Amino acid sequence: MAEPLLALEQVTKRFGALTVAESIDLTVERDEIHAIIGPNGAGKTTLIAQITGVLPPDSGRILFDGQNITRLPMSLRPHLGIARSFQITNILPDFTVLENVAVAAQARHGTSFSFFRPAGAEEGLNAAARRVLERVNLKDREGLPARNLAHGEKRALELAMALVQDPKLLVLDEPMAGTGREETAYLVDMLKSLKGRYGILLIEHDMQAVFALADRVSVMVYGRIIATGAPAEIRDNAEVRQAYLGDEELA
Amino acid sequence: MTQAAEAPAVPSKPRTPWITRSGLAVPLILFALFAVLPPILVVSGETFLLTILTRIMIFAIAAVSLDLILGYGAMVSLGHAAFIGIGAYVVGIMAFHGVSDAFLQLLVVLLATGLFALVTGAISLKTSGVYFIMITLAFAQMAYFTTTSLAMYGGDDGLTLRVRSTVFGMSFLGDRITLYYIVFAALLGAFFLCRTLVASRFGRVLQGCRQSPLRMRALGFSPYRYQLVAYVIAGMLAGIAGALLANQIAFVSPAYMSWMRSGELIFMVVLGGMGTLYGAIIGAFAFIAAEEILSHFTHHWRVIFGPLLIIAVLFARGGLISLIFARRGSG
Ligand SMILES: Nc1ncnc2c1ncn2[C@@H]1O[C@H](COP(=O)(O)OP(=O)(O)OP(=O)(O)O)[C@@H](O)[C@H]1O
Ligand SMILES: [Mg+2]
């Protein structure tokens, strides 16, 4: 199939006088990591909100897998194959780590209008959850209430909840935010290992991570995408340097 | 099984006995007490306590059902007593028209409370937070004023039950011990039903929506549908409590569904510990026992009771039960 996995066409969104998305055109291919970088308040999270259905765009279209999902309710999008992580960690704190991932698996496997069988005893769900927990290095934490995890572990848990849904598109809003150097390195390695298996839209401030991972990078400033290209092109783009990267040590 | 194969990798934990892990220790002790008390009370001549205990168990059924939506679903309904009232009035009105068969009454109670819950829940659950509290209250007040206007069935004054519910034409609910054990069985049923629901896939989604509705929607769940089903189940269970209450007192009155009754149910749940189910039973016990004792000493018992409740809620975070046992993470 030639069509991109995700395509935004002329997507525009305003909060009053503030334009947070201005005629955005953007695609994510089935096997690429497309990173969006940009200063605080550029509108990156708001763009994700529109892709995942938290907010509707004012105008424009969002196509997923060829289907128009512009106004599709949020809770239906995971069933098409869109999974996400949140910029501000969003897990289920009272559940154990295993339960967090198992409930994510449950969303994609069978009905949840099942009233009498104990969910905790469903080996299918637990096994799927454990497989993913192993990949994100949380295997030995599975019995812990999720609230007790360290910050970096919570980030990894959120990724596990997305992965267990076996999505086509992963939308990750700053997955490395606030994680330590070691954890960042681990997450970068992990995302590298995912490369090619999913389309990934990655928002990240960590430039080293972005340039190590992305196939394409888009730069967003004040609701506009001012440049899209291969990491090397973006690094060398004068406008980008001026608008965003400044004179940082990027050489 | 995978679990068994991977077991050695997990650092060996001290093995906790099944009874502790299952969280059944406290409720089983409670139920054992309820089961053995009647003969003891009869022998010691304290049969009036049977009446109070029956009342406690009836309200415990309603409180357990409220905990299902409040403790597990974060739905703060200030209209739960309406279901008790509807259940009671169904029994009262059917008896008034000469229909006393318990099974038929039960069926109509479940239909009426289920329908009322479905309609009011469908609307209330479109809102959240304070709005949800206010709108559930408003619906309950509507039910309250509707019953006060039912002149044919006593209006404000309420309605004396013509006959207690009968089973296959036989009437034995007038017998205090029989009624006690029927209520006890209903409480057991309500408790274990809710416990099963909470542990199911459905219950897991319900609890997930309490913790983070946004997260659950992002996972592909629509909280509304699950919350509505829970709301209907809870309403029907409270309706059963109402039907039992009508049989105990042989009288139904609009007062059963006043907003104060709804508030008291919330107190019971919070007092005993939300999100445990058995906490609601302890809360009902503590609440009604305190009510009985205080009203024994003074007519102005509410003046003392109000502050006592507030102190209990403030100081017993997570409810009375947490003073005795450390609370386990739910789910
Ligand atoms: N619901 C809202 N109502 C009004 N303004 C909003 C709303 N959400 C976000 N904004 C504003 O829109 C702008 C874009 O916010 P957004 O969170 O998308 O930025 P971002 O690129 O993700 O920034 P960061 O890098 O800090 O996460 C900000 O100025 C923000 O204050
Ligand atoms: Mg953001």
Side-chain angles (χ1 to χ4, degrees), chain B residues 275-307:
Chain B
T276 59
L277 296 177
Y278 61 82
I281 304 174
I282 294 171
F285 190 101
F287 186 97
I288 291 174
E291 191 182 68
E292 289 292 335
I293 292 165
L294 287 176
S295 63
H296 202 70
F297 288 115
T298 164
H299 282 304
H300 305 293
W301 58 273
R302 279 185 193 277
V303 179
I304 307 168
F305 202 37

Coordinates of all heavy atoms in Angstrom, one line a residue, chain B residues 275-307:
Chain B
G275 N -14.4 1.1 48.8 CA -13.7 0.2 47.9 C -13.3 -1.0 48.6 O -12.2 -1.6 48.2
T276 N -14.0 -1.5 49.5 CA -13.7 -2.8 50.1 C -14.9 -3.7 50.2 O -14.8 -4.9 50.4 CB -13.2 -2.6 51.6 OG1 -14.3 -2.0 52.3 CG2 -12.0 -1.8 51.7
L277 N -16.1 -3.2 49.9 CA -17.4 -3.9 50.0 C -17.7 -4.2 51.5 O -18.8 -3.8 52.0 CB -17.4 -5.1 49.1 CG -17.3 -4.8 47.6 CD1 -17.3 -6.1 46.8 CD2 -18.4 -3.8 47.1
Y278 N -16.8 -4.9 52.2 CA -17.2 -5.3 53.5 C -17.1 -4.1 54.4 O -17.8 -4.0 55.5 CB -16.3 -6.4 54.1 CG -14.8 -6.1 54.2 CD1 -14.3 -5.4 55.2 CD2 -14.0 -6.5 53.2 CE1 -12.9 -5.1 55.3 CE2 -12.6 -6.3 53.2 CZ -12.1 -5.5 54.3 OH -10.8 -5.3 54.3
G279 N -16.3 -3.1 54.1 CA -16.3 -1.8 54.8 C -17.7 -1.2 54.9 O -18.1 -0.7 55.9
A280 N -18.5 -1.4 53.8 CA -19.8 -0.8 53.8 C -20.7 -1.5 54.8 O -21.6 -0.9 55.4 CB -20.4 -1.0 52.4
I281 N -20.4 -2.8 55.1 CA -21.2 -3.6 56.1 C -20.9 -3.1 57.5 O -21.7 -2.8 58.3 CB -20.9 -5.1 55.9 CG1 -21.3 -5.6 54.5 CG2 -21.8 -5.9 57.0 CD1 -20.9 -7.0 54.3
I282 N -19.6 -2.9 57.7 CA -19.1 -2.4 59.0 C -19.7 -1.0 59.2 O -20.1 -0.6 60.3 CB -17.6 -2.4 59.0 CG1 -17.1 -3.8 59.0 CG2 -17.1 -1.6 60.3 CD1 -15.6 -3.9 58.8
G283 N -19.6 -0.2 58.1 CA -20.2 1.2 58.2 C -21.6 1.2 58.6 O -22.1 2.0 59.4
A284 N -22.4 0.3 57.9 CA -23.8 0.2 58.2 C -24.1 -0.2 59.7 O -24.9 0.4 60.4 CB -24.5 -0.8 57.3
F285 N -23.3 -1.1 60.1 CA -23.3 -1.6 61.5 C -23.1 -0.4 62.5 O -23.9 -0.1 63.4 CB -22.3 -2.7 61.7 CG -22.5 -3.4 63.0 CD1 -23.2 -4.7 63.1 CD2 -22.0 -2.9 64.2 CE1 -23.4 -5.3 64.3 CE2 -22.2 -3.5 65.4 CZ -22.9 -4.7 65.5
A286 N -21.9 0.2 62.2 CA -21.5 1.3 63.2 C -22.5 2.4 63.1 O -22.9 3.0 64.2 CB -20.1 1.8 62.7
F287 N -23.0 2.8 62.0 CA -23.9 3.9 61.8 C -25.3 3.6 62.6 O -25.7 4.4 63.4 CB -24.2 4.1 60.3 CG -25.1 5.4 60.1 CD1 -24.5 6.6 59.8 CD2 -26.4 5.3 60.2 CE1 -25.2 7.7 59.5 CE2 -27.2 6.4 60.0 CZ -26.6 7.6 59.6
I288 N -25.8 2.4 62.3 CA -27.2 2.2 62.8 C -27.1 1.9 64.3 O -27.9 2.3 65.1 CB -27.9 1.1 62.0 CG1 -28.2 1.6 60.7 CG2 -29.1 0.6 62.8 CD1 -28.8 0.6 59.7
A289 N -26.0 1.2 64.7 CA -25.8 1.0 66.2 C -25.6 2.3 66.9 O -26.3 2.5 67.9 CB -24.5 0.1 66.4
A290 N -24.8 3.2 66.4 CA -24.7 4.5 67.0 C -26.0 5.3 67.1 O -26.4 5.9 68.1 CB -23.6 5.3 66.2
E291 N -26.7 5.2 65.9 CA -28.1 5.8 65.9 C -29.0 5.3 67.0 O -29.6 6.1 67.7 CB -28.7 5.6 64.5 CG -29.9 6.4 64.1 CD -30.4 6.0 62.8 OE1 -30.9 4.8 62.6 OE2 -30.3 6.8 61.9
E292 N -29.0 4.0 67.1 CA -29.9 3.3 68.1 C -29.5 3.8 69.5 O -30.3 4.1 70.4 CB -29.8 1.8 68.0 CG -30.5 1.2 66.8 CD -32.0 1.4 66.8 OE1 -32.5 1.5 67.9 OE2 -32.6 1.4 65.7
I293 N -28.2 3.7 69.8 CA -27.7 4.0 71.1 C -27.9 5.5 71.5 O -28.5 5.8 72.5 CB -26.2 3.7 71.2 CG1 -26.0 2.1 71.1 CG2 -25.6 4.2 72.6 CD1 -24.6 1.7 70.9
L294 N -27.6 6.4 70.6 CA -27.7 7.8 70.9 C -29.2 8.2 71.0 O -29.6 8.9 71.9 CB -27.1 8.6 69.8 CG -25.6 8.6 69.8 CD1 -25.0 9.4 68.6 CD2 -25.0 9.2 71.1
S295 N -30.1 7.6 70.1 CA -31.5 8.0 70.2 C -32.1 7.4 71.5 O -33.2 7.9 71.9 CB -32.2 7.5 69.0 OG -32.2 6.1 68.9
H296 N -31.4 6.5 72.1 CA -31.9 5.9 73.3 C -31.7 6.9 74.5 O -32.5 7.0 75.4 CB -31.1 4.7 73.6 CG -31.7 3.7 74.6 ND1 -32.8 3.0 74.2 CD2 -31.4 3.4 75.9 CE1 -33.2 2.3 75.3 NE2 -32.4 2.5 76.3
F297 N -30.7 7.7 74.4 CA -30.4 8.7 75.4 C -31.0 10.0 75.3 O -31.4 10.6 76.3 CB -28.8 8.9 75.5 CG -28.1 7.7 76.1 CD1 -27.2 7.0 75.3 CD2 -28.4 7.3 77.4 CE1 -26.6 5.8 75.8 CE2 -27.7 6.1 77.9 CZ -26.8 5.4 77.1
T298 N -31.2 10.5 74.1 CA -31.7 11.8 73.9 C -32.5 11.9 72.6 O -32.1 11.3 71.6 CB -30.6 12.9 73.9 OG1 -31.1 14.1 73.4 CG2 -29.4 12.4 73.1
H299 N -33.5 12.8 72.6 CA -34.2 13.1 71.3 C -33.4 13.9 70.4 O -33.6 13.9 69.2 CB -35.5 13.8 71.7 CG -36.6 12.9 72.2 ND1 -37.0 11.8 71.5 CD2 -37.3 13.0 73.3 CE1 -37.9 11.2 72.2 NE2 -38.1 11.9 73.3
H300 N -32.4 14.6 70.9 CA -31.6 15.4 70.0 C -30.3 14.7 69.6 O -29.3 15.3 69.5 CB -31.2 16.7 70.8 CG -32.4 17.5 71.3 ND1 -33.3 18.0 70.5 CD2 -32.9 17.7 72.6 CE1 -34.3 18.6 71.2 NE2 -34.0 18.4 72.5
W301 N -30.5 13.4 69.4 CA -29.3 12.6 69.1 C -28.6 13.1 67.8 O -27.4 12.9 67.7 CB -29.7 11.2 69.0 CG -30.7 10.8 67.9 CD1 -32.1 10.9 68.1 CD2 -30.5 10.4 66.6 NE1 -32.7 10.5 67.0 CE2 -31.8 10.3 66.0 CE3 -29.3 10.2 65.8 CZ2 -31.9 9.9 64.7 CZ3 -29.5 9.8 64.5 CH2 -30.8 9.7 64.0
R302 N -29.3 13.7 66.9 CA -28.7 14.1 65.6 C -27.6 15.2 65.9 O -26.7 15.3 65.1 CB -29.7 14.6 64.6 CG -30.4 13.5 63.9 CD -31.3 14.0 62.8 NE -32.2 12.9 62.4 CZ -31.8 12.0 61.4 NH1 -30.6 12.1 60.9 NH2 -32.6 11.0 61.1
V303 N -27.9 16.0 66.9 CA -26.9 17.1 67.2 C -25.6 16.5 67.6 O -24.5 17.0 67.3 CB -27.5 17.9 68.4 CG1 -26.5 19.0 68.7 CG2 -28.8 18.5 68.0
I304 N -25.6 15.3 68.3 CA -24.4 14.7 68.7 C -23.8 13.8 67.5 O -22.6 13.8 67.3 CB -24.6 13.7 69.9 CG1 -25.3 14.5 71.0 CG2 -23.3 13.1 70.3 CD1 -25.8 13.6 72.1
F305 N -24.8 13.2 66.8 CA -24.4 12.3 65.8 C -23.7 13.0 64.6 O -22.7 12.4 64.1 CB -25.7 11.6 65.2 CG -25.4 10.3 64.6 CD1 -24.4 9.4 65.1 CD2 -26.1 9.9 63.5 CE1 -24.2 8.2 64.5 CE2 -25.9 8.7 62.9 CZ -24.9 7.8 63.4
G306 N -24.1 14.1 64.2 CA -23.5 14.8 63.1 C -22.0 15.0 63.3 O -21.2 14.5 62.5
P307 N -21.7 15.7 64.4 CA -20.2 15.9 64.7 C -19.5 14.6 64.8 O -18.3 14.5 64.3 CB -20.2 16.7 66.0 CG -21.5 17.4 66.0 CD -22.5 16.5 65.3

